[in-house]
Amino acid sequence: MEKIIDGKSISQAIKDECKERCAAYKEKGLDVTLAVIIVGNDPASKVYVGNKKKACTAVGISSLSYELSEDTTEEQLLKLIDDLNNDSKVNGILVQLPLPKGIDEKKVINAISPLKDVDGFHPENVGKMCIGEDGFVSCTPAGIVELLKRSGIKIEGKECVVVGRSNIVGKPMSLLLLRENATVTVCHSKTKDLKEVTRRADILIVAVGKPKMITADYIKEGAVVIDVGIHRDENNKLCGDVDFVDVVDKASAITPVPGGVGPMTIAMLMYNCLESVVLQNQQRD
Ligand code: GUN
């Protein structure tokens, strides 16, 4: 097992597989199309959306781009989503988050057809994942499971500790690990004695949104450490929620930032776009 988990090369392998699958669909006359919506001018969101569109091109998925101004109303956005839901040429719909103030994120997520919800954020898909039914699984947690499996790290029977309980990462992550037969503990800002809990982890997944918060004293010797955070440190260098330099010697495997979890999110989005074709065809049978 490599100590530094190479998210870049594992994500490339997944994108290569997606490219082959996409080409096979094309031969059958099936084109795969993702509609990407961004509202406003958030610079980080623009970079993420740009990377998602680039990945679509590399894999052979068509992308439709909707760049809406900051003053777009909720009603206008909901109307666009409704049009895309009803457009049979569109397989997947992605609305980049966060949305500007004044637009209700929940309402927007709920408006996306669950069969086109390639982010896996719709309550119907979250529920399906919870009870192990087919549906879209949100990309970052799904990517982390792939990262572990493809790095030869067994999940079954392991003590997994997830730090963070967001709807996008922490909660779905804990459910997916449970589905893989791990023993799962979820920690959050009100957890008493966080270190005592994280030190039990065979696999520690950190999604707290605080730069370099997790130092060596939070880690059991030989643990696998997965870092979901991405920040700029005091020297403007990218860093994660984990203090990599402090933790690296104690961990048996660790994801770097950048080049760890980040690229996996996009690879799994490509995978979900291809799955959308399967789910939509099941519906027609
Ligand atoms: N903002 C941060 N992460 C994500 C993501 O995975 N999907 C969308 N749509 N927005 C995000």
Side-chain angles (χ1 to χ4, degrees), residues 119-121 125-126 129-130 136-142 145 162 164-179 184 186:
D119 261 325
F121 293 165
N125 284 317
V126 177
M129 180 193 50
C130 185
F136 293 109
V137 177
S138 62
C139 303
T140 301
V145 169
V162 180
R165 57 172 161 181
S166 69
N167 289 341
I168 292 186
V169 184
K171 272 184 213 151
M173 187 73 252
S174 57
L175 289 166
L176 278 188
L177 291 167
L178 190 59
R179 209 160 95 170
V184 185
V186 187

Side-chain angles (χ1 to χ4, degrees), residues 48 52 94-98 119 121 139-140 168 265:
Y48 296 142
K52 288 172 187 181
L94 181 148
V95 180
Q96 187 65 28
L97 303 177
D119 261 325
F121 293 165
C139 303
T140 301
I168 292 186
T265 300

Side-chain angles (χ1 to χ4, degrees), residues 1-2 5-6 10 145-153 253:
M1 183 172 75
E2 299 283 330
I5 299 174
D6 187 352
I10 296 172
V145 169
E146 279 300 308
L147 207 52
L148 293 169
K149 286 184 174 172
R150 290 178 189 238
S151 302
I153 296 162

Side-chain angles (χ1 to χ4, degrees), residues 10-66:
I10 296 172
S11 73
Q12 189 57 52
I14 293 169
K15 284 190 282 185
D16 290 346
E17 291 161 18
C18 287
K19 189 175 174 178
E20 270 184 34
R21 201 171 149 195
C22 195
Y25 285 175
K26 274 209 177 106
E27 279 195 4
K28 286 200 241 167
L30 286 171
D31 259 322
V32 186
T33 300
L34 172 67
V36 181
I37 305 171
I38 178 168
V39 188
N41 301 309
D42 180 59
S45 289
K46 283 189 171 178
V47 173
Y48 296 142
V49 162
N51 288 339
K52 288 172 187 181
K53 288 194 287 193
K54 250 190 248 163
C56 281
T57 307
V59 166
I61 294 171
S62 306
S63 65
L64 301 172
S65 199
Y66 297 88

Side-chain angles (χ1 to χ4, degrees), residues 11 24 48 50 53 55 71 83 86 103 106-107 124 153 188-189 195 239 244 247 282:
S11 73
Y48 296 142
K53 288 194 287 193
D71 60 1
D83 290 346
N86 292 313
I103 300 184
K106 253 191 213 162
K107 240 189 203 169
E124 190 173 312
I153 296 162
H188 45 79
S189 54
K195 271 184 202 169
C239 70
F244 184 89
V247 166
Q282 273 172 0

